[in-house]
Amino acid sequence: NAGVTQTPKFQVLKTGQSMTLQCAQDMNHNSMYWYRQDPGMGLRLIYYSASEGTTDKGEVPNGYNVSRLNKREFSLRLESAAPSQTSVYFCASSGADSGNTIYFGEGSWLTVV
Amino acid sequence: GENVEQHPSTLSVQEGDSAVIKCTYSDSASNYFPWYKQELGKRPQLIIDIRSNVGEKKDQRIAVTLNKTAKHFSLHITETQPEDSAVYFCAASNFHTGRRALTFGSGTRLQVQP
């Protein structure tokens, strides 16, 4: 049981480049989330998906897009990366059968130069 | 939306002492309050949570208390050990609504001195 799996783990981008962070969960959870964590700070919600086929903006959605491809997968896309998007990105999921506890992936370290 | 404030930002204690971290929240509709521990370079991991129908919950050396009237909740760690050193985050959400995403506090760096 892998839980929440994110790829890539590390990435360096040049300003203006695009990339997609992939996330998959194998816990049959309905809800999935993308958070970012800047050095020394808490986690801020970028986007979330309450169920397959739905997505909603969180606290800091500007510069990002998401796709809930199916129940398992929730991707985050940076269309034109900016240095301000240098951060650690965490995907997470939750479901009623796990008491709505939110489980996090291992994180993706993104540097935009 | 919800706003969660967390204090202190850093906390240093001697091994064996107790540590207390406090959080306040703004949305009276929030009903789920988890605490996460994050070690350096790792993912946040749930250590304990409490729901709004309960005032206190304990799990071995860890306890959480909730005061709904004052809209604050606290994490208590007793008999601290060096392996308790980490960053701790409180969070809040309303898991009865479609939006179950957590709003996090800014974190407390706990250092337990041997």
Side-chain angles (χ1 to χ4, degrees):
Chain A
N1 189 341
V4 180
T5 304
Q6 294 180 231
T7 56
K9 193 169 179 67
F10 300 98
Q11 183 73 48
V12 178
L13 285 179
K14 294 182 179 179
T15 298
Q17 286 185 320
S18 62
M19 78 159 297
T20 299
L21 299 176
Q22 307 286 353
C23 176
Q25 51 89 11
D26 62 3
M27 296 177 281
N28 199 36
H29 286 168
N30 282 324
S31 301
M32 297 187 73
Y33 317 86
W34 277 104
Y35 285 88
R36 63 175 286 175
Q37 184 176 33
D38 299 319
M41 296 182 66
L43 294 99
R44 293 183 292 170
L45 182 68
I46 304 171
Y47 271 92
Y48 69 101
S49 171
S51 62
E52 185 178 354
T54 67
T55 61
D56 286 284
K57 295 179 180 179
E59 184 185 356
V60 288
N62 291 344
Y64 305 95
N65 285 301
V66 291
S67 295
R68 183 73 183 267
L69 304 170
N70 48 55
K71 191 172 185 179
R72 290 186 65 248
E73 298 172 287
F74 188 39
S75 63
L76 178 72
R77 183 162 178 84
L78 288 70
E79 290 291 353
S80 179
S84 61
Q85 294 178 303
T86 294
S87 190
V88 181
Y89 291 84
F90 287 98
C91 179
S93 70
S94 69
D97 56 350
S98 60
N100 291 302
T101 297
I102 291 183
Y103 294 93
F104 287 87
E106 293 187 315
S108 297
W109 273 253
L110 176 65
T111 301
V112 183
V113 297
Chain B
E2 176 66 277
N3 182 51
V4 178
E5 301 280 344
Q6 183 171 348
H7 301 280
S9 57
T10 60
L11 180 59
S12 182
V13 300
Q14 291 295 124
E15 183 176 358
D17 287 350
S18 295
V20 180
I21 303 170
K22 298 181 179 182
C23 289
T24 60
Y25 61 98
S26 62
D27 188 351
S28 57
S30 289
N31 54 24
Y32 175 61
F33 307 93
W35 287 87
Y36 283 81
K37 176 183 180 182
Q38 186 178 33
E39 297 175 343
L40 188 63
K42 303 291 187 181
R43 75 184 91 187
Q45 301 245 349
L46 179 73
I47 56 171
I48 195 168
D49 58 13
I50 191 168
R51 287 174 166 77
S52 60
N53 59 346
V54 176
E56 183 175 4
K57 184 177 179 180
K58 291 183 180 179
D59 183 3
Q60 299 182 352
R61 296 186 296 108
I62 294 172
V64 58
T65 59
L66 171 66
N67 183 327
K68 288 188 294 181
T69 302
K71 289 190 283 188
H72 67 70
F73 56 113
S74 301
L75 177 71
H76 304 253
I77 306 174
T78 59
E79 302 173 18
T80 54
Q81 301 166 4
E83 52 265 39
D84 293 329
S85 297
V87 179
Y88 292 81
F89 292 97
C90 63
S93 74
N94 182 345
F95 69 83
H96 287 310
T97 66
R99 180 189 172 117
R100 299 194 173 110
L102 294 169
T103 300
F104 283 86
S106 55
T108 296
R109 182 172 301 278
L110 173 65
Q111 188 162 12
V112 180
Q113 307 285 353

